[in-house]
Amino acid sequence: MKLGLEGKVALVGGASQGLGWAIAEELAQAGASLVICSRGEERLREAAAQLETAWEAPVEAVAADLSSPEGVERVLQGAWSTFGRVDILVTNTGGPPSGPFESHTPEVWRKAMAGNLESVLNLTRGVLPGMKERGWGRILHVTSVAVKQPVDNLILSNSLRAAVTGFARTLANEVASHGITVNCVLPGYTRTSRLDELAGAIAQREGISVEEAFARWEEQIPAGRVGDPREFAALVAFLASERASYITGTSIPVDGGWVRGLL
């Protein structure tokens, strides 16, 4: 399927590993130019080199902490200086710490809000004027299946991903007439370092093995397994494409059937 992404410029957060890396690779394969960012510079440079070698994709790599306005501005300036615009924004940041409400201090909440909500607002604020001017844009937020079915012991993620969802759904209506779509893509249990960390935390807390933690999740998933990041990235690339121009305001899970609700 031709996605019509040749010549488009995509900004992908957290792109040195996990879901962000899979998304960047999928978009590069489809012909997009890329601005990728993450906090770790060495790994980010390696990711950029892999994209350039494998797909001959033009890549601008900017090491930055998106939880700070200064970090967001650094990434945006890199995009504008290299490509002059951003056509596709994919917000993707690492999940906040696990644990119940009373285990998190106000400072932990502030840090989580900066990383998982404010970064989304600041990135969107930066790219939206140019998208409106050109009459075309794709804004995609990587959130979590927790917005449809909260996950125990993840109160920070459950709360902040839901906030991003409300923002995205409202913004979608505001910008649809400008040729801009806004959607959320919801990863379920997907084999990334984040899932390994959560499995480790469960294993330590409950005195079980990491393998047992994964087995519990797999029992809950109708597909009988955790997902692969490439399966998630395929949907993101489609929603970023010309073919998805009439899909906006949605939150679509990629979870092997884990969410039990009708909608």
Side-chain angles (χ1 to χ4, degrees), residues 2 13 29 47 72 110 116 137 168 177 179 238 260:
K2 291 288 185 180
Q29 185 177 359
V72 170
R110 281 191 289 269
N116 296 111
S177 64
F238 174 73
R260 303 294 176 164

Side-chain angles (χ1 to χ4, degrees), residues 137-177:
R138 299 287 184 267
I139 298 174
L140 293 152
H141 303 304
V142 177
T143 58
S144 168
V145 288
V147 304
K148 289 184 175 287
Q149 186 172 308
V151 178
D152 291 344
N153 216 47
L154 291 182
I155 193 166
L156 289 171
S157 182
N158 294 345
S159 302
L160 296 170
R161 306 299 195 189
V164 171
T165 304
F167 164 69
R169 184 63 191 88
T170 307
L171 182 66
N173 288 353
E174 295 181 3
V175 301
S177 64

Side-chain angles (χ1 to χ4, degrees), residues 1-247:
M1 179 188 295
K2 291 288 185 180
L3 297 181
L5 293 179
E6 294 82 359
K8 300 295 186 185
V9 178
L11 192 166
V12 182
S16 64
Q17 60 181 330
L19 295 178
W21 160 253
I23 292 165
E25 188 174 37
E26 193 79 17
L27 293 173
Q29 185 177 359
S33 300
L34 290 165
V35 181
I36 60 173
C37 59
S38 71
R39 284 176 293 185
E41 185 164 5
E42 182 177 352
R43 185 175 290 178
L44 185 67
R45 298 297 172 190
E46 292 173 358
Q50 287 179 300
L51 293 170
E52 291 169 340
T53 300
W55 307 110
E56 298 182 351
V59 180
E60 172 70 10
V62 183
D65 183 353
L66 295 178
S67 67
S68 74
E70 296 79 14
V72 170
E73 184 63 23
R74 188 178 308 120
V75 174
L76 292 172
Q77 289 296 334
W80 292 328
S81 64
T82 301
F83 299 112
R85 70 188 194 280
V86 172
D87 303 302
I88 300 161
L89 171 65
V90 182
T91 68
N92 173 55
T93 54
S98 61
F101 173 67
E102 291 179 310
S103 71
H104 300 308
T105 65
E107 180 56 31
V108 171
W109 275 92
R110 281 191 289 269
K111 185 175 180 180
M113 284 189 280
N116 296 111
L117 177 58
E118 293 173 16
S119 64
V120 170
L121 304 180
N122 291 333
L123 284 165
T124 305
R125 187 178 291 116
V127 303
L128 193 57
M131 290 180 177
K132 292 175 73 173
E133 181 180 341
R134 292 185 297 274
W136 197 96
R138 299 287 184 267
I139 298 174
L140 293 152
H141 303 304
V142 177
T143 58
S144 168
V145 288
V147 304
K148 289 184 175 287
Q149 186 172 308
V151 178
D152 291 344
N153 216 47
L154 291 182
I155 193 166
L156 289 171
S157 182
N158 294 345
S159 302
L160 296 170
R161 306 299 195 189
V164 171
T165 304
F167 164 69
R169 184 63 191 88
T170 307
L171 182 66
N173 288 353
E174 295 181 3
V175 301
S177 64
H178 297 278
I180 302 167
T181 67
V182 185
N183 293 290
C184 295
V185 192
L186 287 50
Y189 291 103
T190 309
R191 196 69 195 237
T192 64
S193 60
R194 165 70 168 171
L195 197 63
D196 291 336
E197 291 170 8
L198 292 177
I202 291 171
Q204 183 174 18
R205 185 173 64 249
E206 300 186 14
I208 62 174
S209 68
V210 170
E211 291 74 18
E212 287 176 294
F214 270 94
R216 284 186 187 178
W217 289 328
E218 290 168 348
E219 288 175 0
Q220 301 170 16
I221 301 168
R225 62 178 177 84
V226 298
D228 185 286
R230 293 172 296 179
E231 295 171 309
F232 181 83
L235 177 60
V236 175
F238 174 73
L239 291 173
S241 74
E242 289 280 4
R243 305 297 294 270
S245 58
Y246 203 57
I247 302 173

